[in-house]
Amino acid sequence: MNKKKESKVVPNVRFKGFTDDWKQCKLGELAEIVRGASPRPISDSKWFDANSNVGWLRISDVTNQNGRIRYLEQHISKLGQEKTRVITEPHLLLSIAATIGKPLINYVKTGVHDGFLIFLNPKFDLEFMYQWLEMFRPEWNKYGQPGSQVNLNSDLVKNQKIAIPSEEEQQKISNFFNEIDSLITLHQRKIDKLKNLKKAMLEKMFPKKGTVIPEIRFNGFANAWEQRKFGDGMDLLTGFPFESEKFSDNGINLIRGMNVKRGYLDLSDSLCMKWKYSEGLEKYLLENKDILIQMDGALIGKSYAKIKKSQLPALLVQRVTRARAIPEESNSDFMYQTIQ
């Protein structure tokens, strides 16, 4: 956000018709923030009852449902309800254990574990604050020491400053992000279905170990597959040892073992090193559709990637093997799917 006047703020992008400054306040001024409670010992079966209509919210439910709690597998007994906080209508909650800073909204009757904060009597639109907390989540890390877990509590959350618009603008923003979330969920389901389909087809369209005919084939193909060694149709090459003094910001990408992930090449700024190209390294220059296989570490042979045009030019470095299809003997795309 950009400061407009002292102690006044407005966002960079707004819906038409909204011009007022957002009000600055603390989260604790917008709701009564209390911590959930857990019966002890939590392993005692008397706290739970499968026939109860009140669910028991656990940390695992947050990640499994990505913050939208619409069902709970475990249910808390009447005795257990006396030892926790039960909410019977939708509330905004915040995880302060394990999934630190993850917001969620419950849509079922819920007993709340002591690893959560509850926003009672809110003076805000639930969906707006859910989206704000989702945006703010990385900022909670400032309350943790390097290398240690963040220790989030109700006082820290209550004192967190926030700029908040009118109720009408909150609802407008809520609707916008809610529509985006719905689209993401819809497409994620499609992606999951496609991933499952691909996994099934990989298992059935390649012969199983000890066989030469796959379970599923395209029409017109009936012959047994030919048994060959991987290297028969591929030109294999390991990379060269590099010297740090030849690094260059204006050089070309160096492909090392840490860049080769499970199925893709990671050339993010934190991992990408560049090299001032010199003569004598021609054979280590990668080409489009070259296959890379990691040759050391815990994921030896399990991490692989295929070079794309957009990732070139690039040089192959030691501890990675490049497999390049030999023309008229093998197909790069087929071999890549075989590795998977």
Side-chain angles (χ1 to χ4, degrees):
M1 296 181 178
N2 295 328
K3 288 191 175 181
K4 187 177 180 182
K5 296 178 182 179
E6 185 64 24
S7 75
K8 293 184 178 181
V9 290
V10 295
N12 292 327
V13 177
R14 302 182 81 169
F15 289 102
K16 290 182 179 180
F18 297 99
T19 57
D20 293 340
D21 294 302
W22 288 25
K23 177 185 176 182
Q24 292 193 84
C25 56
K26 295 180 179 179
L27 283 174
E29 297 171 350
L30 298 173
E32 179 187 354
I33 301 174
V34 299
R35 187 172 183 175
S38 300
R40 295 285 189 263
I42 196 65
S43 57
D44 195 326
S45 60
K46 68 183 178 183
W47 307 128
F48 305 101
D49 180 1
N51 296 317
S52 170
N53 67 345
V54 178
W56 174 240
L57 180 64
R58 297 168 295 176
I59 300 298
S60 58
D61 294 308
V62 179
T63 51
N64 291 343
Q65 299 184 57
N66 195 30
R68 307 284 186 172
I69 309 302
R70 302 185 186 279
Y71 65 90
L72 293 167
E73 293 183 0
Q74 196 167 18
H75 293 75
I76 194 162
S77 65
K78 288 186 177 180
L79 187 61
Q81 292 172 37
E82 297 173 1
K83 301 291 184 180
T84 187
R85 291 184 184 270
V86 176
I87 48 180
T88 58
E89 57 187 40
H91 276 78
L92 178 69
L93 299 96
L94 187 69
S95 174
I96 57 173
T99 51
I100 299 293
K102 173 66 179 175
L104 56 145
I105 298 176
N106 70 298
Y107 298 95
V108 293
K109 294 180 180 179
T110 308
V112 183
H113 186 286
D114 59 12
F116 300 94
L117 297 179
I118 311 169
F119 291 73
L120 299 174
N121 305 314
K123 301 175 184 177
F124 50 73
D125 179 87
L126 284 189
E127 187 66 32
F128 171 86
M129 191 59 70
Y130 172 88
Q131 299 293 347
W132 186 90
L133 287 169
E134 192 71 72
M135 176 276 298
F136 189 79
R137 185 179 177 187
E139 296 297 319
W140 297 120
N141 290 325
K142 66 185 179 183
Y143 295 113
Q145 298 298 320
S148 65
Q149 184 173 333
V150 177
N151 183 19
L152 204 56
N153 58 52
S154 58
D155 287 336
L156 289 173
V157 176
K158 289 176 183 178
N159 289 316
Q160 178 56 53
K161 293 181 179 179
I162 178 178
I164 191 166
S166 67
E167 183 177 345
E168 185 181 359
E169 189 170 2
Q170 287 181 49
Q171 292 175 351
K172 191 79 172 179
I173 293 170
S174 298
N175 293 338
F176 173 74
F177 284 109
N178 210 9
E179 288 180 12
I180 291 178
D181 283 344
S182 296
L183 284 173
I184 290 172
T185 299
L186 177 63
H187 288 291
Q188 186 59 54
R189 288 172 181 164
K190 292 180 179 178
I191 290 171
D192 291 341
K193 288 181 179 179
L194 286 173
K195 284 182 177 179
N196 290 333
L197 174 63
K198 180 177 180 179
K199 182 180 178 181
M201 290 299 100
L202 282 172
E203 293 175 352
K204 294 180 180 295
M205 295 188 73
F206 288 88
K208 288 184 169 56
K209 187 175 181 179
T211 67
V212 291
I213 297 178
E215 291 182 41
I216 297 177
R217 306 185 78 169
F218 289 105
N219 290 336
F221 298 96
N223 295 336
W225 288 26
E226 180 184 351
Q227 289 277 13
R228 300 178 67 181
K229 294 180 180 179
F230 184 77
D232 290 345
M234 306 292 288
D235 175 31
L236 304 178
L237 176 72
T238 54
F240 74 100
F242 60 90
E243 302 169 20
S244 58
E245 64 269 17
K246 292 185 179 180
F247 292 148
S248 171
D249 291 338
N250 298 320
I252 63 178
N253 291 330
L254 280 176
I255 307 300
R256 302 170 294 159
M258 63 183 64
N259 298 113
V260 182
K261 307 296 184 179
R262 287 179 181 263
Y264 72 99
L265 202 60
D266 186 349
L267 294 180
S268 56
D269 291 340
S270 60
L271 290 178
C272 193
M273 298 175 65
K274 294 185 179 295
W275 184 273
K276 186 174 182 179
Y277 181 73
S278 58
E279 293 184 4
L281 299 177
E282 291 81 6
K283 70 177 182 178
Y284 300 108
L285 282 170
L286 294 168
E287 297 180 3
N288 184 41
K289 292 190 176 183
D290 280 351
I291 300 170
L292 307 177
I293 306 170
Q294 192 176 134
M295 298 303 292
D296 66 357
L299 296 178
I300 181 171
K302 295 181 180 180
S303 287
Y304 48 87
K306 185 167 60 174
I307 285 285
K308 301 176 182 178
K309 286 183 179 179
S310 59
Q311 295 165 335
L312 299 173
L315 276 171
L316 183 70
V317 175
Q318 60 190 350
R319 299 189 178 91
V320 180
T321 288
R322 182 219 70 199
R324 180 177 296 165
I326 298 173
E328 299 181 3
E329 290 190 38
S330 65
N331 176 280
S332 179
D333 292 323
F334 174 81
M335 297 303 289
Y336 181 71
Q337 297 298 338
T338 302
I339 291 173
Q340 294 192 67

